[in-house]
């Protein structure tokens, strides 16, 4: 084909012109699909949807190929990546598109790489768990003794109700328990660093890294750090929590009871998340437990800015709008699974 013919060639149906907004959009969609395809809870319907997306037009296939090539290149040493961005910047306006794509793909690569670090324990936890929720999913689980467990997002539970036992292990995440009273069979929730024992009451247990937090909504709950395995034996050093109290077990032992606000601690059960004078860094950590994908803060100086508010978990855009108005940060959604705050 003559060079002039190539220049004058019109894009095929569904194929955007090179460097246009549609091409950027397809590249972002490819980013989102790449991220989603790494997920443990990818459904067969989503696999079919991806295949349909890929076959929709040559432009879709090209965007996917470009992303895969770029991600492969990103595995090279960091100096190569840095050199590529330095070279690309001054050449021509179209290079800005490549820089944006490179930055987006780099962010995705860092996130996927980061997920690889912690996915090992997650896969193990899922393998030994009896019940699992994905990020952003909540589930009410009836237990064999008539009690119920409400599972927060990204939670894994192992159940032991054999031979009269009433024991739940939280491998990760958080759950609220409404326990049926049975004086002869204590109900024990083991959160790793600590455990809670009750006869019949309502409370939550959250396991986060090497810490276990117990918060009581109703009744009395006994909490201990590394308790005796015998459900009926005394737990040395344990504390008793009343409604509106919490305690935390960690590497340094068990804290004393302290006041807890149920409106904050249990808001997730109503599909809400509440922040009261919390740092932006801790807010982002909480959001990443509730939503698929990641929110990444690029401005370290903003990490300690204080956030207060009540937000619906199913409306992330409203949260970002409030953060932009209240703190002056700017939210950039790279893909549906990656949002940058700066």
């Amino acid at each position: 084909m003559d060079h002039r013919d190539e220049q004058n060639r019109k894009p095929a149906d569904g194929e955007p012109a090179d460097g246009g907004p549609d091409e950027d959009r397809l590249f972002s969609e490819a980013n989102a699909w790449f991220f989603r395809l790494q997920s443990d809870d990818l459904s067969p319907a989503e696999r079919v949807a991806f295949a349909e997306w890929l076959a929709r037009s040559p432009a879709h296939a090209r965007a996917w190929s470009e992303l895969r090539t770029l991600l492969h290149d990103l595995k090279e040493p960091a100096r190569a990546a840095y050199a590529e961005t330095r070279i690309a910047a001054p050449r021509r306006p179209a290079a800005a598109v490549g820089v944006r794509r490179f930055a987006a793909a780099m962010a995705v690569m860092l996130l996927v790489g980061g997920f690889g670090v912690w996915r090992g324990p997650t896969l193990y936890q899922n393998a030994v768990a009896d019940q699992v929720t994905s990020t952003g999913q909540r589930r009410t689980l009836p237990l064999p003794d008539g009690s119920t467990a409400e599972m927060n997002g990204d939670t894994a539970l192992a159940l032991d109700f054999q031979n009269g036992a009433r024991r739940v292990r939280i491998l990760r995440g958080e759950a609220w328990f409404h326990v049926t009273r049975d004086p002869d069979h204590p109900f024990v929730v083991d959160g790793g660093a600590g455990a809670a024992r009750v006869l019949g009451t309502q409370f939550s247990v959250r396991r986060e890294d090497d810490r276990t937090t117990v918060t009581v909504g109703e009744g009395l709950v006994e909490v201990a750090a590394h308790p005796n395995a015998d459900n009926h034996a005394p737990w040395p050093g344990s504390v008793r929590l009343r409604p509106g109290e919490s305690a935390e077990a960690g590497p340094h032992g068990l804290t004393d009871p302290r006041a807890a606000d149920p409106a904050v601690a249990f808001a997730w059960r109503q599909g809400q998340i509440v922040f009261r004078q919390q740092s932006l860094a801790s807010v982002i950590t909480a959001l990443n437990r509730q939503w698929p994908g990641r929110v990444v803060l690029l401005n370290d100086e903003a990490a300690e800015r204080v956030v207060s508010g009540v937000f619906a978990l199913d409306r992330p855009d409203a949260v970002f709008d409030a953060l932009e108005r209240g703190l002056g940060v700017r939210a950039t959604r790279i893909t549906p699974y990656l949002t940058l705050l700066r």
Side-chain angles (χ1 to χ4, degrees):
M1 177 183 293
D2 184 271
H3 179 65
R4 288 170 298 178
D5 292 338
E6 175 65 24
Q7 281 186 322
N8 296 328
R9 181 181 69 86
K10 292 183 178 180
D13 289 343
E15 180 181 0
D18 289 344
D22 285 346
E23 194 172 23
D24 285 346
R25 175 181 58 80
L26 289 181
F27 192 85
S28 294
E29 290 179 6
N31 262 326
W33 274 118
F34 181 87
F35 193 95
R36 185 59 190 153
L37 290 171
Q38 315 305 310
S39 175
D40 294 333
D41 63 346
L42 183 74
S43 68
E46 286 176 307
R47 292 185 184 277
V48 172
F50 168 69
E52 293 174 347
W53 178 89
L54 190 61
R56 194 167 299 163
S57 76
H60 287 73
R62 185 169 63 249
W64 180 251
S65 178
E66 288 177 357
L67 174 68
R68 295 295 300 271
T69 299
L70 191 52
L71 291 177
H72 175 76
D73 292 343
L74 288 175
K75 294 178 182 178
E76 299 300 318
R79 60 180 178 80
Y82 178 71
E84 183 170 344
T85 57
R86 289 290 298 272
I87 292 171
R91 287 194 174 177
R92 53 190 175 92
V97 175
V99 173
R100 288 201 305 273
R101 293 181 190 165
F102 186 87
M106 175 65 85
V108 171
M109 188 67 180
L110 289 173
L111 287 172
V112 172
F115 288 159
V117 173
W118 56 259
R119 183 174 284 179
T122 298
L123 289 176
Y124 168 77
Q125 291 161 358
N126 289 352
V128 301
D130 295 298
Q131 298 290 334
V132 174
T133 56
S134 59
T135 303
Q137 178 188 21
R138 296 186 299 278
R139 179 188 304 159
T140 298
L141 176 68
L143 300 175
D145 68 331
S147 303
T148 58
E150 294 182 33
M151 301 173 65
N152 202 348
D154 193 25
T155 294
L157 304 181
L159 311 178
D160 179 9
F161 285 81
Q162 307 249 343
N163 302 319
R166 298 202 297 169
R167 192 176 187 90
V168 178
R169 276 196 303 144
I170 297 188
L171 305 174
R172 72 172 183 278
E174 180 176 21
W176 160 275
F177 298 93
H178 187 169
V179 178
T180 300
R181 183 170 180 80
D182 185 347
D184 297 325
H185 301 94
F187 190 102
V188 176
V189 180
D190 183 350
R197 178 169 63 182
V198 300
L199 298 178
T201 187
Q202 299 181 41
F203 64 104
S204 72
V205 179
R206 184 176 75 248
R207 181 172 184 172
E208 186 177 9
D209 297 328
D210 56 356
R211 295 176 295 155
T212 302
T213 304
V214 180
T215 306
V216 179
E218 182 179 297
L220 293 176
V221 177
E222 184 181 9
V223 182
H226 305 293
N228 189 304
D230 186 342
N231 286 359
H232 293 275
W235 283 0
S238 64
V239 298
R240 285 202 162 192
L241 302 181
R242 292 171 173 77
E245 291 184 336
S246 71
E248 181 180 287
H252 303 294
L254 183 67
T255 66
D256 291 330
R258 57 194 179 193
D261 187 343
V264 176
F266 307 139
W268 61 269
R269 298 180 58 225
Q270 281 73 48
Q272 295 180 328
I273 191 164
V274 179
F275 303 117
R276 290 186 178 171
Q277 297 295 302
Q278 291 177 242
S279 69
L280 179 57
S282 66
V283 167
I284 291 174
T285 299
L287 294 177
N288 283 332
R289 287 198 301 264
Q290 299 291 345
W291 293 337
R294 302 303 273 181
V295 180
V296 179
L297 180 62
L298 301 181
N299 182 1
D300 292 338
E301 295 179 358
E304 296 306 316
R305 294 181 185 175
V306 175
V307 178
S308 295
V310 180
F311 305 102
L313 289 174
D314 60 353
R315 296 183 60 196
D317 289 341
V319 179
F320 296 135
D321 287 345
L323 293 178
E324 288 181 331
R325 290 196 307 270
L327 300 184
V329 297
R330 184 161 57 91
T332 303
R333 178 162 283 191
I334 303 298
T335 78
Y337 302 101
L338 173 61
T339 299
L340 305 180
L341 292 180
R342 51 186 134 198

